[in-house]
Amino acid sequence: MLMRKPVPMLALVLVLILAIPLGMGWRYLHTPLSLATGSAEFKVPAGSTARQVAIRLHALHILPRPNWWLLYARFTRQAGHIQSGDYALREGMTPLDLLDALVSGRTVQYSITLVDGWTFAQVMRVLNADPHIEHTLKPADYADLIHRMGGPKGMSPEGWFYPNTYFFSNGASDLSILHRAYRAMQRDLDSAWTGRAANLPIKTPYDALILASIVEKETGSAQERPLVASVFINRMRLGMRLQSDPTVIYGLGKRYHGDLTFKGLRSNTPYNTYVHAGLPPTPIALPSGAAIQSVLHPADSHYLYFVATGKGTHVFSKTYAEQQKAVIKYQLGGNAARYPAGEAKAGGAS
């Protein structure tokens, strides 16, 4: 019977010598970071090396034994793949988790919300006010903005940015965020146009975008959108003017002070749909996907008028006589003597 040779003492010593630091290293990599407040944000500037990151984290009393962390990063060949950006350090995060986050680029995400019914001017005010966005666009760039994104030359940017919440990393440019919103609107509009109802008087997707922006401004009620859209569709079929107050207000711009007067209704701007037949030259706001669907799938109705009730809803009418009664009841307090003569003044869609 063969006898096993005893393990040399030197070999046991070598195993212990290797096991102790390996065990300490494993424990170090899996021990939570030192976050005094439970969480913190850490910025990695562009071009930072792993050593620079380790030194800064140690100086902030977040990362103990930075050389250990750096040794592991180099041993695993991750040291050269750290990405710049803002990182959220959370309670329970270990040095191993930290390295994984820095290499994978899981930076802090900021957000901005574009709201249904906003104008392009409102969109730019919000973008320009956000300190986490790189502001690259100037007012002189706006006229050619859509062309820069791949759209037609001379196209107005109004209405072309899909209302939604967009997440971005610190330092993202205003142009990159707008480009994402523009592509989202293109996709939604193209999809809706492909599935549109038959025999609509809307000739192009852009016309649908314009009309959807008007519907968006006319009502905030999801249930009413298809009915409001049907009024404008019916008017277009009959060759009637749209007579939409929001288009007049948009055309007045800074001249509008919260009260639409008869003088305003007679203003000769390209957007005054009381004065000019057909659609205005551009959208007047950001239409929601629901508003786009409403103009491409309007309700089946014979309505030609609607008037606000003052309670967030509208009353719809088929004839001008019905519209007169509704205006007297809901806007003139029942006083028929206050009703002005002439459809151009009070017989519009809204």
Side-chain angles (χ1 to χ4, degrees):
M1 182 175 178
L2 295 175
M3 298 295 292
R4 291 183 180 180
K5 293 181 179 180
V7 178
M9 183 60 67
L10 179 60
L12 286 173
V13 171
L14 289 174
V15 169
L16 288 173
I17 290 173
L18 291 173
I20 292 173
L22 286 174
M24 292 175 63
W26 187 94
R27 183 177 179 181
Y28 164 75
L29 291 171
H30 291 82
T31 299
L33 299 172
S34 302
L35 299 175
T37 60
S39 65
E41 286 193 8
F42 179 73
K43 183 179 182 65
V44 178
S48 296
T49 65
R51 181 173 183 78
Q52 289 170 333
V53 170
I55 291 172
R56 286 188 60 230
L57 285 167
H58 182 64
L60 293 171
H61 306 290
I62 293 174
L63 182 69
R65 298 184 178 86
N67 289 332
W68 287 26
W69 184 81
L70 187 60
L71 179 64
Y72 177 80
R74 288 172 174 170
F75 179 76
T76 57
R77 299 185 178 180
Q78 298 181 82
H81 299 285
I82 289 176
Q83 300 186 43
S84 62
D86 293 349
Y87 291 87
L89 308 182
R90 298 289 179 251
E91 186 175 4
M93 179 178 276
T94 66
L96 200 61
D97 297 329
L98 171 65
L99 182 60
D100 183 59
L102 296 178
V103 170
S104 61
R106 292 197 300 273
T107 57
V108 173
Q109 292 292 290
Y110 301 94
S111 69
I112 191 165
T113 299
L114 308 186
V115 179
D116 310 347
W118 274 6
T119 63
F120 176 69
Q122 288 175 296
V123 169
M124 291 311 303
R125 276 200 295 271
V126 170
L127 286 174
N128 289 333
D130 196 308
H132 303 294
I133 294 174
E134 181 186 4
H135 304 122
T136 65
L137 296 171
K138 297 178 176 60
D141 301 321
Y142 298 166
D144 200 39
L145 181 59
I146 298 300
H147 183 58
R148 287 179 64 180
M149 296 185 199
K153 191 172 182 61
M155 174 72 74
S156 168
E158 195 67 80
W160 268 116
F161 304 102
Y162 195 79
N164 204 347
T165 297
Y166 296 90
F167 294 90
F168 59 91
S169 298
N170 188 41
S173 71
D174 45 12
L175 182 61
S176 68
I177 295 170
L178 286 174
H179 199 183
R180 289 165 57 195
Y182 173 65
R183 290 199 307 268
M185 181 62 84
Q186 279 187 311
R187 289 193 298 268
D188 190 82
L189 182 60
D190 289 346
S191 175
W193 180 256
T194 300
R196 68 190 183 280
N199 302 319
L200 293 174
I202 304 171
K203 302 304 180 185
T204 67
Y206 191 55
D207 287 348
L209 188 71
I210 294 173
L211 186 55
S213 74
I214 297 174
V215 171
E216 189 69 58
K217 295 298 288 185
E218 286 283 8
T219 180
S221 169
Q223 293 77 16
E224 282 192 346
R225 284 195 191 103
L227 276 175
V228 170
S230 76
V231 170
F232 292 125
I233 294 293
N234 291 339
R235 281 179 163 253
M236 291 175 71
R237 284 176 174 147
L238 295 173
M240 296 174 67
R241 292 174 184 174
L242 298 185
Q243 296 181 312
S244 168
D245 291 356
T247 65
V248 179
I249 292 169
Y250 182 87
L252 289 172
K254 294 181 179 179
R255 290 178 291 164
Y256 177 70
H257 300 291
D259 184 23
L260 188 56
T261 64
F262 292 126
K263 181 180 179 181
L265 289 172
R266 291 192 296 268
S267 62
N268 190 20
T269 75
Y271 291 88
N272 190 335
T273 53
Y274 283 80
V275 174
H276 300 288
L279 294 166
T282 74
I284 62 172
L286 303 182
S288 61
I292 293 172
Q293 286 293 334
S294 73
V295 303
L296 295 176
H297 297 277
D300 183 13
S301 85
H302 296 286
Y303 294 130
L304 295 174
Y305 307 91
F306 58 88
V307 63
T309 64
K311 297 180 180 180
T313 58
H314 294 81
V315 169
F316 296 82
S317 302
K318 297 176 183 177
T319 67
Y320 181 51
E322 292 176 352
Q323 173 73 351
Q324 284 179 306
K325 293 178 182 178
V327 170
I328 292 169
K329 178 178 180 180
Y330 292 103
Q331 294 192 341
L332 304 179
N335 187 355
R338 295 174 57 198
Y339 195 92
E343 181 176 347
K345 292 182 179 179
S350 59

